[in-house]
Structure formats: C-alpha cells, structure tokens
Amino acid sequence: SELLAVDEFGHEALPFPPSPQAAVDRLHRPGGEYLNMNPYYVLLLDPGCTIDEVKAQFRRMSLQVHPDKHGGDPRAGTAFEVVRKAYEKMDDASKLDLCNRICLGAQKRVDEKVKQARRALKKEGKPEVVPEDTPSVYRKVLRQFTSKMFVEFEQRRQQLHERDEREKKRKAEEAQLDAEAAKQRVKEERAWERSRQKRVAGWRAWSSNSARGLKKPPAVKAEGQDERKNNFEDRGVEWRRDWR
C-alpha cells in the first residue's frame, strides 16, 4: 500500500511491512509524541478498517517491536507500549467506530480547506488548482489533519480526566469532613450522656433543699404614694412646731 509505505511528512520510503528496527525507529521520530496519538499511524492502518484487521495488525506490530527481539533495547519497550495503547483505542467495535468518526471529521476539515482555497483562487481569477488535487498530497494532508484531531481528542480526554479526578478529590474531602463532624457529634453526645448522672444529682440536691423550707430573703417593698404623703405631713407638723 502506497499510503502505508510513505512517511508522514518527508515521503521517505519504508519497507512494508517495516523491519523490526525500522518499526521501532518510526515510533521514535521527531514529533512522535503527537504522531503516536493517532492509532492508524502507529498500527499502519487505513481509516475504515475492520476490527479483525486491527487485531491482526496489532499482533504483527507487537511482535516487530517486542523488547525480546531487540536485545532489551529500552526504545523497543517504549515502542511496544505505544503499539499497545494504540490497539486499546481500537480494540472493540465502539472504540473503532469513534476512531473512524474522528477520521471522517478530519476529512471534512481537509475538504473545507480545499474549498476555501479554490474559492480564493476563483476570486482572484486564477485557475482553481490546489496542491491537494494530487492524490499523494491529499493523503499526506489528510494524515496530518487526522493526527491533529487525535491530539485534540486526547488533550480533551486528559482535561476531562483531570476534572473528574479533581471532582473525586473534592467529594472525598467533603466526605472526610462530614465523617469527622459526625464523629465529633457522637463524641459530644457521649460526653453529655456521661454527665447526665451529675446533672441529675445536682437537680435532686436542689429539690431536697427546697423541700426543707429554706427561707427566701424578704422582698424589698417599693415606697408607695400614701407613705410619701404621710411622711411629708409628719415633717410638716414638726416644722410648724419648731417655727412656733
């Protein structure tokens, strides 16, 4: 397949299927961190492939990059993990359908890009010929857009995962605070129960003293208006007597 035997960006010819060493080197090329998020690129598969083709290609690729075939080369171990993760993105019908829809989205972007380029040429009165009219160029651009969409999808998935982890942490902290508050309430209720006998004994002692007839201090009687009048009249008599 020309599509599978051509490098992503440099159109460097690769043996197909690639040799074990070429398969490892391919997954460690510059920019591989992003390219390897595209499972079609990693497993050398075309969009629209079947689940049986995915399984067969995974077995083939995993054998090519297996560390045992490379004398314990750590790069082979990393490549094996890349192949395994790519397969996990496509190892059942629902996941494969999602990957195919991502590819369709990338194709729509490329087609829209081509339409915009042709409209711009038409507006300038130039022939409506774009580089993507060449099949190999179109496939290259499509692979680039597909890889970009898988990168965006993976970044979004990671963001959602981090958000979920933060939410789990928040709920766990709230649950811990609630548990500590409940524990404190139980502790206070037990302390209240332990002090019950002391409170009952105090109340009984007070009741017993009241029953013995303890006298209360006499209430202070407020001076009324009549008393004030009598006191004034008494003083008036005395004043008259002294004046005489």
Side-chain angles (χ1 to χ4, degrees):
S1 171
E2 180 185 357
L3 173 61
L4 302 181
V6 174
D7 176 53
E8 282 284 323
F9 300 105
H11 288 264
E12 175 187 354
L14 294 174
F16 183 77
S19 65
Q21 189 59 49
V24 171
D25 293 341
R26 177 175 169 272
L27 298 177
H28 286 85
R29 68 176 69 248
E33 178 183 357
Y34 297 102
L35 286 173
N36 293 343
M37 293 183 187
N38 181 353
Y40 294 97
Y41 168 77
V42 173
L43 297 177
L44 293 173
L45 288 167
D46 285 322
C49 58
T50 65
I51 190 67
D52 291 334
E53 291 173 334
V54 172
K55 293 179 179 179
Q57 188 64 5
F58 168 68
R59 287 192 294 268
R60 185 180 301 113
M61 293 294 297
S62 60
L63 288 175
Q64 286 181 318
V65 300
H66 198 281
D68 292 344
K69 281 196 172 185
H70 296 271
D73 183 359
R75 295 171 71 249
T78 303
F80 184 82
E81 285 300 309
V82 170
V83 171
R84 182 184 62 80
K85 290 180 180 180
Y87 174 67
E88 289 177 351
K89 294 179 180 179
M90 312 170 74
D91 60 356
D92 63 39
S94 60
K95 293 179 182 178
L96 182 59
D97 179 66
L98 174 61
C99 291
N100 284 329
R101 285 189 280 116
I102 291 175
C103 291
L104 288 176
Q107 184 175 356
K108 289 180 180 179
R109 286 192 183 184
V110 174
D111 292 343
E112 183 60 29
K113 176 178 177 291
V114 171
K115 288 181 182 179
Q116 291 178 358
R118 285 182 175 147
R119 283 197 295 266
L121 292 172
K122 183 178 180 180
K123 187 176 180 180
E124 296 174 0
K126 298 179 180 179
E128 300 176 29
V129 179
V130 295
E132 288 80 6
D133 290 336
T134 303
S136 60
V137 174
Y138 181 85
R139 288 195 296 266
K140 176 185 175 182
V141 173
L142 178 58
R143 288 194 299 272
Q144 291 174 346
F145 269 78
T146 302
S147 294
K148 182 178 180 181
M149 288 198 66
F150 273 104
V151 169
E152 293 174 354
F153 178 82
E154 182 63 24
Q155 290 174 341
R156 179 58 178 165
R157 187 197 66 79
Q158 184 64 28
Q159 291 172 355
L160 293 175
H161 174 72
E162 292 175 354
R163 186 195 67 181
D164 292 342
E165 289 298 316
R166 289 194 298 269
E167 184 66 14
K168 289 179 182 178
K169 182 179 179 181
R170 184 187 65 80
K171 290 182 178 180
E173 291 175 349
E174 287 183 354
Q176 183 178 1
L177 291 175
D178 291 342
E180 292 176 354
K183 187 176 180 181
Q184 183 63 25
R185 287 195 298 270
V186 171
K187 184 178 179 180
E188 292 173 354
E189 290 172 359
R190 289 177 179 175
W192 177 260
E193 286 297 322
R194 284 196 298 268
S195 66
R196 180 179 180 182
Q197 293 299 328
K198 185 176 180 180
R199 288 182 283 108
V200 171
W203 179 82
R204 286 176 177 174
W206 178 84
S207 298
S208 177
N209 291 335
S210 298
R212 291 174 185 173
L214 294 178
K215 295 182 178 180
K216 296 182 180 181
V220 177
K221 184 178 180 181
E223 186 179 18
Q225 184 176 0
D226 294 338
E227 293 179 355
R228 289 197 300 272
K229 182 177 180 181
N230 293 334
N231 292 338
F232 175 77
E233 291 177 352
D234 293 341
R235 288 196 298 273
V237 171
E238 293 175 357
W239 291 342
R240 287 196 296 271
R241 186 183 304 117
D242 295 340
W243 180 76
R244 289 178 181 176

